[in-house]
């Protein structure tokens, strides 16, 4: 049974802390059995905003966990307590997977665990993190960064993205999707803090492209052009571009490309379709084209992505569906 310890001291943010408790501290053995052995670790009773938490163990217990999670640090102008930093360093030295949510990255950085590594935090604090810790490569655009032994998330909702990513790594994509449905959240969001804002499907509503977005999503396998979209929307290409920029923050073709990649990821996670079939289904044409664009956007080739996110969900001999 994997063990998860939440490092808690005065000065943490209750949203990220509660989120981690909900994901890892709930009894979800009806979905995955065994689930996680979860514990709160801190220097005695801790005050979090209006809440008072009783700890299961002291901070020294962090060194016995497989995964240590540091929730958001409320005041980034205040140095984390020395006892927390010492405990975090000891846990990392003992081989724990270290995870920060939102501004918890300031704790990991103060402990020296992010030196020479890529990391992220809430977009409103990325500049401060970079200035305070110049040895850290701060990426302001991603939802989370996975360095293997050290992982950091962007702000608020991105903490959930990282928690579900951990579940996918430990228990497979299918089970992570079940947990996401239980929590009524997306199981997987692509892109980063800025990119996510620019590529989602706008909520249905009273805007000129309300009917166009679902029309596009039903035809991702077709070789759509800007002219096709403009004709369907009954407006000029220039007018269409202005509406797209206003609603999604990007161009029609860039948005369409993001939806094709998103759909390819879903098919890689949930089907045994070959890469050629997925390329056709997503409108990429050939497996070569899909591989090139997928690798450039996601960071890994499609077959690697499939092995990563389905290895736990589909035990046993693996079939090569990449050809």
């Amino acid at each position: 049974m994997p063990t998860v310890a939440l490092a808690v001291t005065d000065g943490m943010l209750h949203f990220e802390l509660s989120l981690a408790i909900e994901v890892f501290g709930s009894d979800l053995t009806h979905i995955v059995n065994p689930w996680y052995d979860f514990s709160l670790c801190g220097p005695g009773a801790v005050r979090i905003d209006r809440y008072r938490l009783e700890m299961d163990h002291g901070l020294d217990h962090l060194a016995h966990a497989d995964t240590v999670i540091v929730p958001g640090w409320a005041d980034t102008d205040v140095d984390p307590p020395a006892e927390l930093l010492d405990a975090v360093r000891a846990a990392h030295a003992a081989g724990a997977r270290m995870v920060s949510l939102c501004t918890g990255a300031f704790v990991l950085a103060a402990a020296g665990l992010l030196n020479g590594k890529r990391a992220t935090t809430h977009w409103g604090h990325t500049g401060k993190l970079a200035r305070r810790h110049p040895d850290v490569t701060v990426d302001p655009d991603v939802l989370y960064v996975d360095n293997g032994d050290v992982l950091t998330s962007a702000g608020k909702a991105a903490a959930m993205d990282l928690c579900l990513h951990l579940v996918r790594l430990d228990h497979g994509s299918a089970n992570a999707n079940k947990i996401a449905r239980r929590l009524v959240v997306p199981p997987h969001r692509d892109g980063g803090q800025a990119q996510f804002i620019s590529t989602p499907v706008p909520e249905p509503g009273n805007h000129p492209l309300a009917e166009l977005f679902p029309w596009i999503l039903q035809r991702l396998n077709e070789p759509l052009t800007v002219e096709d979209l403009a004709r369907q929307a009954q407006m000029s290409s220039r007018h269409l571009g202005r509406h797209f920029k206003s609603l999604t923050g990007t161009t029609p073709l860039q948005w369409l490309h993001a939806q094709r990649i998103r759909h390819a990821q879903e098919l890689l996670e949930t089907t045994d379709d070959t890469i050629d079939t997925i390329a056709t289904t997503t409108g990429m044409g050939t497996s070569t084209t899909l591989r090139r664009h997928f690798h450039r956007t996601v960071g890994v080739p499609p077959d690697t992505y499939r092995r990563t996110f389905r290895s736990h969900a589909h035990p046993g001999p693996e079939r090569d569906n990449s050809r």
Side-chain angles (χ1 to χ4, degrees):
M1 178 185 297
T3 57
V4 173
L6 190 60
V8 187
T9 66
D10 293 332
M12 298 293 186
L13 294 172
H14 69 274
F15 179 85
E16 290 79 2
L17 184 144
S18 300
L19 185 151
I21 293 175
E22 179 64 27
V23 173
F24 301 103
S26 299
D27 181 4
L28 300 179
T29 52
H30 62 288
I31 298 176
V32 181
N33 193 7
W35 188 231
Y36 292 96
D37 180 5
F38 178 81
S39 61
L40 296 177
C41 300
V46 170
R47 172 69 63 177
I48 304 293
D49 198 7
R50 298 189 178 189
Y51 306 98
R52 185 176 185 274
L53 296 180
E54 297 290 341
M55 298 298 106
D56 300 308
H57 304 284
L59 286 172
D60 58 339
H61 187 76
L62 296 179
H64 300 285
D66 298 316
T67 299
V68 172
I69 299 177
V70 180
W73 183 246
D75 191 345
T76 56
D77 291 324
V78 175
D79 293 332
E83 59 181 338
L84 174 61
L85 298 181
D86 289 341
V88 165
R89 293 188 192 100
H92 182 251
R97 178 174 60 182
M98 307 302 295
V99 179
S100 69
L101 306 180
C102 192
T103 49
F106 282 81
V107 176
L108 297 189
L113 303 189
L114 299 181
N115 289 346
K117 289 184 170 63
R118 181 167 158 261
T120 194
T121 188
H122 189 288
W123 62 265
H125 297 277
T126 52
K128 181 185 293 185
L129 183 64
R131 289 190 299 273
R132 187 172 299 173
H133 301 280
D135 291 334
V136 180
T137 302
V138 180
D139 190 335
D141 293 329
V142 295
L143 293 176
Y144 56 83
V145 173
D146 183 349
N147 292 297
D149 61 333
V150 180
L151 302 89
T152 55
S153 88
K156 300 301 179 183
M160 176 63 79
D161 292 298
L162 181 51
C163 287
L164 290 175
H165 175 66
L166 295 173
V167 174
R168 274 196 300 272
L169 293 175
D170 295 339
H171 298 293
S173 180
N175 287 319
N177 290 348
K178 293 177 184 177
I179 303 302
R181 283 194 293 271
R182 175 183 177 274
L183 297 171
V184 199
V185 297
H188 185 69
R189 299 192 298 164
D190 306 320
Q193 298 187 76
Q195 294 169 1
F196 180 77
I197 295 172
S198 66
T199 61
V201 180
E203 292 292 332
N206 185 23
H207 59 78
L209 304 184
E211 296 182 3
L212 180 63
F213 288 114
W215 183 88
I216 296 173
L217 294 176
Q218 293 171 6
R219 293 166 175 80
L220 291 178
N221 62 315
E222 299 179 11
L224 299 173
T225 65
V226 173
E227 289 71 24
D228 294 329
L229 306 187
R231 188 179 306 111
Q232 178 65 26
Q234 298 182 343
M235 61 181 65
S236 69
S237 297
R238 178 177 294 182
H239 199 192
L240 176 75
R242 285 198 296 268
H243 282 300
F244 250 92
K245 186 69 173 180
S246 173
L247 289 167
T248 71
T250 189
T251 68
L253 289 184
Q254 288 172 337
W255 184 88
L256 176 60
H257 176 76
Q259 304 314 311
R260 295 191 196 281
I261 295 296
R262 188 186 303 274
H263 189 36
Q265 289 178 299
E266 293 173 352
L267 294 174
L268 288 166
E269 292 180 9
T270 61
T271 75
D272 292 319
D273 292 348
T274 65
I275 301 301
D276 282 323
T277 299
I278 293 175
T280 300
T281 303
T282 58
M284 292 289 185
T286 68
S287 61
T288 301
T289 301
L290 173 60
R291 289 179 190 280
R292 182 174 68 254
H293 288 296
F294 193 95
H295 198 170
R296 181 182 301 160
T297 303
V298 181
V300 295
D303 41 359
T304 300
Y305 182 90
R306 169 172 270 162
R307 286 196 298 269
T308 299
F309 291 112
R310 300 195 74 195
S311 59
H312 294 278
H314 295 268
E318 185 177 3
R319 237 174 58 187
D320 185 359
N321 294 309
S322 63
R323 293 187 292 274

